[in-house]
Amino acid sequence: MPEGHTVHRLARALGELFTGEALAVSSPQGRFAAGADLLDGRVLVASEAWGKQLFLGFADPTLVGPGTAGRPEDVRWLRVHLGLYGAWTFAGDGSTAVVHAIGAPRRRIGERETVPAGPGAAEPAPDDGWSPPRPRGAVRVRLVGSHAVADLTGPTACEVVTAEEKRAVEDRLGPDPVRDAAPGEDDPREDFVAGVRRSRSAVGLLLMNQDVVAGVGNIYRAESLFRARLDPMRPGRDVPAEVLRTLWDDLVVLMRDGTQTGAIVTTRPEDRDRPAPDVADGPDGRRRVRQNTDDAPDAVPAAEAFYVYHRDGLPCRVCGAPVLLKELAGRNLYWCGVCQA
Ligand SMILES: [Zn+2]
């Protein structure tokens, strides 16, 4: 499942590609035909993420013009949650805005980012008169602007909501380390501290609870707890507030960095020198850890990027003890029993 930084990257890419444009909105698969009708021909005026929720704001084109964005309550919002299998696929005419937003003729962003290479991957050049490629697979929503197309497949949630309904969703979510707090909003760090400390659940569970903190997934959970040297099974109410403030500040840095680069890197340079075998597709069928930056020359390879995630049985980068794994509420939890005692 994509973690929050990926959803923020999607919000940014969609905003850069389409803001200010009246979009052709359709549901090639048909399952979202009624919702698409409500948005078709409207102008994209906002593209936001809160945790793993993506919100695209569409306004009536007759109400949007230079210097006016219409009334906020008239905006219709497309709410999307990718869940386990959802992804957006982008393609464009290669113009500057497209290259800036997605960096490739065709890119898929979901569980991880992929950029198909080689002949056939490129879309027609702009001077051929660009037209969007045919939808591939079961496309729930297709957004077409003048220079680009975005196709959504396999989301867990995809619906049109009012501004009020959007606020209700946001009110239920915990603070998001990637979001800047709006003026007058509560201090997100203190919200997070209070959310953890009012519960007797394990802090390792609370970090995955989107009502406590929005956008943290399995990787950021495992890695931030390791960096804080915090036992994942410690009850939330027993974790000192100062430790939680440091953990929050760390999540802000790590997740904003992930939003910038598209990859999660949590290891400090001095902890990467211990040679460790790559986590391979072994006989146990374990998934190899890959990141979209793996082929970039200066990127930290995935095998060096994490302290504990997918490193069970390998020596801890700090103390050398084998990294531990257990299932907690249906998700794999990785930690070091020595560093995080
Ligand atoms: Zn250790």
Side-chain angles (χ1 to χ4, degrees), residues 226 316-321 336-340:
F226 180 88
C316 171
R317 295 186 191 280
V318 173
C319 75
C336 174
V338 175
C339 292
Q340 297 172 257

Side-chain angles (χ1 to χ4, degrees), residues 18-23 25 39-46 56-65 69 75-76:
F18 297 131
T19 298
E21 275 199 79
L23 300 182
V25 183
L39 304 178
D40 189 32
R42 289 188 155 231
V43 176
L44 188 79
V45 292
L56 300 179
F58 289 84
D60 184 330
T62 62
L63 301 176
V64 186
V75 173
R76 290 176 185 162

